[in-house]
Amino acid sequence: MRPTMARVPWDFLLFLFLVLIFDLVLCGGNLENFKGVIRSDHGSAMVLPLVFSSFNSSKRVVLGEQHRRLQTNEPLKSNAHMKLYDDLLTNGYYTTRIWIGTPPQEFALIVDSGSTVTYVPCSTCEQCGNHQDPKFQPDSSSTYQPVRCNLDCDCDREKDQCVYERQYAEMSSSSGVLGNDIVSFGNESALPPHRAVFGCENAETGDLYSQHADGIIGLGRGKLSIMDQLVEKGAITDSFSLCYGGMGFGGGGMVLGGIPPPPGMVFSHSDPLRSPYYNLELKEIHVAGKSLRLNPSVFNSKHGTVLDSGTTYAYLPEVAFLAFKDAMMKQIHSLRRIPGPDPSYHDVCFSGSGSEVSELSKTFPDVNMVFENGQMVTLAPENYLFRHSKVRGAYCLGVFQNGKDPTTLLGGIIVRNTLVTYDRGNERIGFWKTNCSELWERLQLASAPPPRPSPSVDKNSTMKSLAQPPLPDIYIPGP
């Protein structure tokens, strides 16, 4: 006699059937993808939040993304989610880690939104300095391919391989050949490895030769930019975000690909036709709530106002710098003026404000940047000061005159502890104050250990004691 099977209500069976169909639709009708969703519940996450949040809130956001995908029938793009190392005072830059080749070779690269090519030292380079990692060995990568000479590139003397050359304002330079290989963004990134064109250096000069970092990851506008290459492949949306850690602490995070802007993010229009750089439409600067008496056109000369993550400090046209310096001196007249740490430079430095970063706002005023749309970004003292390296408790202005160049150049110091979104697809740049030094600690990471930082990062910082706003609930689509 056959065993009696328990009767299941027909409405429950219908519910299970609909759930199965719904999940299959979300996975594009692919059963393997459906299995991947099941596995993700027990292993890797499909969504990487920049902060931890309650279960209910994260569930609402994720379901909203799934609903949008079901309606538009467009696959969610992944993001390259990467940690930043180093800091401005010790190193003058921030770096991230990438891996090139098969098997992967690891490199520490300066994050530079003003460069349009990514490059690392080549094993054949005889004019390259001693850097953080071994040189790239093309012969050791089974997937490496030289970029052969064509109509779209500059060629070597033999007309065999494409070459590149970059020169920078501080008189350093990089040159070499172009190669194509697999680029990986680390185990913490949801973006899978992709082929990309990069520079294999044969010569370095100046700071590029002496720096600790291996090379540069170029995030600027241009066909060789890692951003342009990933966007052209359809791997990511046309946006990236940087979050630089605060004074004395460094670190932070970077996302290649779009993220939802947090509430209250301040935007400026960024015209891609204005120049090859990321421009802002800056109209006014306020010191302690008072506008500098300047014609707004002063910030629109030559290249206009440029935001460059690879530049350390801020540089203003002569008339704007003098007005800024005078306004600042009126606000901090109680402090004692002292010489700068390097006698070859005429730094504007002060002592008597105390050594705690959290106390600087009691002595130094806020500075506001006002954009063409009336929106305003507030700069705390750490966004325009750097520590005096020889006098404890002394600080110097990190804003300088840009020689006779009328361009306004805003470097990394301006955006410390600020989430900056370069929303290239919508021609805008967003700013949102937060504690970037804690960004990586709040991420849901993969189990693999993070790559090692440069040995010069100061880990005994008091930056975490600052009263910073919490990080936004930003959700990054997974693979």
Side-chain angles (χ1 to χ4, degrees):
M1 183 171 133
R2 292 184 300 176
T4 304
M5 182 179 296
R7 299 187 63 183
V8 181
W10 69 270
D11 53 346
F12 180 71
L13 289 175
L14 178 60
F15 170 76
L16 290 179
F17 176 74
L18 291 175
V19 169
L20 176 61
I21 293 300
F22 181 71
D23 281 331
L24 285 174
V25 170
L26 285 179
C27 299
N30 189 320
L31 187 58
E32 285 301 313
N33 287 341
F34 176 68
K35 291 178 181 177
V37 174
I38 298 297
R39 284 197 299 270
S40 69
D41 291 338
H42 301 279
S44 61
M46 297 212 31
V47 175
L48 295 177
L50 292 190
V51 290
F52 294 123
S53 59
S54 66
F55 174 79
N56 290 336
S57 64
S58 64
K59 184 176 181 181
R60 285 197 300 270
V61 175
V62 174
L63 287 179
E65 287 292 326
Q66 291 176 336
H67 182 60
R68 180 183 62 81
R69 180 182 178 187
L70 183 62
Q71 288 181 326
T72 62
N73 199 29
E74 294 180 357
L76 290 173
K77 290 182 170 63
S78 302
N79 298 72
H81 181 203
M82 307 155 76
K83 187 175 181 178
L84 297 182
Y85 301 95
D86 303 307
D87 63 20
L88 283 175
L89 181 60
T90 307
N91 308 91
Y93 51 71
Y94 292 85
T95 62
T96 191
R97 310 290 291 187
I98 69 168
W99 290 257
I100 302 176
T102 307
Q105 303 173 43
E106 186 177 5
F107 300 96
L109 302 184
I110 295 173
V111 176
D112 190 358
S113 64
S115 293
T116 56
V117 64
T118 296
Y119 51 82
V120 297
C122 216
S123 59
T124 56
C125 183
E126 297 180 354
Q127 301 179 46
C128 291
N130 295 320
H131 302 297
Q132 185 167 336
D133 297 285
K135 299 174 183 176
F136 177 70
Q137 300 183 27
D139 294 340
S140 298
S141 174
S142 61
T143 50
Y144 175 81
Q145 298 173 351
V147 178
R148 296 303 179 188
C149 185
N150 60 77
L151 296 177
D152 295 327
C153 75
D154 296 325
C155 299
D156 58 14
R157 293 179 180 177
E158 292 76 20
K159 303 297 181 182
D160 177 55
Q161 191 169 354
C162 293
V163 298
Y164 80 95
E165 182 177 4
R166 291 294 184 273
Q167 296 181 345
Y168 298 93
E170 76 278 9
M171 306 305 294
S172 62
S173 66
S174 169
S175 61
V177 297
L178 293 178
N180 187 310
D181 210 336
I182 303 295
V183 176
S184 304
F185 304 96
N187 292 333
E188 295 86 0
S189 173
L191 183 68
H194 281 273
R195 274 199 169 274
V197 175
F198 66 98
C200 203
E201 282 185 310
N202 287 327
E204 298 173 334
T205 65
D207 291 344
L208 292 176
Y209 183 91
S210 59
Q211 69 189 14
H212 186 59
D214 300 312
I216 283 179
I217 179 169
L219 302 173
R221 293 187 175 105
K223 62 182 181 180
L224 290 179
S225 165
I226 192 69
M227 275 298 302
D228 285 66
Q229 294 186 64
L230 291 173
V231 170
E232 185 177 0
K233 292 174 181 289
I236 61 174
T237 55
D238 198 5
S239 176
F240 69 94
S241 297
L242 299 174
C243 206
Y244 284 175
M247 181 184 290
F249 194 80
M254 175 172 75
V255 178
L256 303 185
I259 58 175
M265 177 170 268
V266 173
F267 287 96
S268 170
H269 178 244
S270 182
D271 186 0
L273 303 179
R274 175 68 171 79
S275 78
Y277 309 106
Y278 293 108
N279 290 90
L280 303 173
E281 295 190 356
L282 180 64
K283 294 300 181 184
E284 298 178 23
I285 293 180
H286 297 176
V287 176
K290 297 180 180 179
S291 176
L292 303 182
R293 295 183 178 179
L294 297 170
N295 189 319
S297 63
V298 72
F299 302 114
N300 197 37
S301 300
K302 197 176 180 179
H303 294 302
T305 298
V306 175
L307 181 62
D308 180 13
S309 68
T311 297
T312 305
Y313 300 112
Y315 299 87
L316 301 178
E318 182 177 10
V319 61
F321 169 73
L322 294 176
F324 176 83
K325 177 183 173 182
D326 291 343
M328 191 63 63
M329 297 291 287
K330 293 178 181 178
Q331 295 297 321
I332 52 178
H333 53 81
S334 60
L335 300 181
R336 185 167 64 91
R337 178 86 179 266
I338 63 172
D342 188 340
S344 60
Y345 294 97
H346 302 291
D347 292 328
V348 180
C349 303
F350 308 91
S351 65
S353 59
S355 58
E356 294 296 325
V357 177
S358 58
E359 300 295 318
L360 289 179
S361 58
K362 296 181 179 179
T363 308
F364 293 92
D366 282 344
V367 174
N368 296 316
M369 297 191 306
V370 184
F371 300 129
E372 84 294 341
N373 54 12
Q375 295 193 22
M376 182 184 302
V377 173
T378 298
L379 307 181
E382 70 168 345
N383 296 121
Y384 61 81
L385 296 175
F386 66 92
R387 278 199 178 105
H388 197 297
S389 59
K390 297 181 179 179
V391 180
R392 180 176 174 81
Y395 296 86
C396 307
L397 288 183
V399 179
F400 304 94
Q401 180 178 328
N402 197 12
K404 296 301 180 181
D405 191 332
T407 300
T408 299
L409 181 59
L410 305 179
I413 191 173
I414 294 292
V415 291
R416 288 199 285 199
N417 275 332
T418 306
L419 176 66
V420 182
T421 295
Y422 296 74
D423 187 356
R424 306 177 352 150
N426 292 310
E427 300 183 1
R428 62 180 186 172
I429 296 177
F431 302 85
W432 196 80
K433 295 293 291 183
T434 188
N435 193 329
C436 297
S437 301
E438 296 181 354
L439 177 65
W440 194 253
E441 299 175 9
R442 298 185 180 187
L443 299 175
Q444 290 182 346
L445 301 177
S447 59
R452 68 187 187 282
S454 297
S456 54
V457 175
D458 179 12
K459 297 182 180 179
N460 299 318
S461 170
T462 59
M463 191 60 227
K464 290 186 179 180
S465 64
L466 285 179
Q468 294 287 347
L471 289 166
D473 286 334
I474 302 176
Y475 289 85
I476 305 175

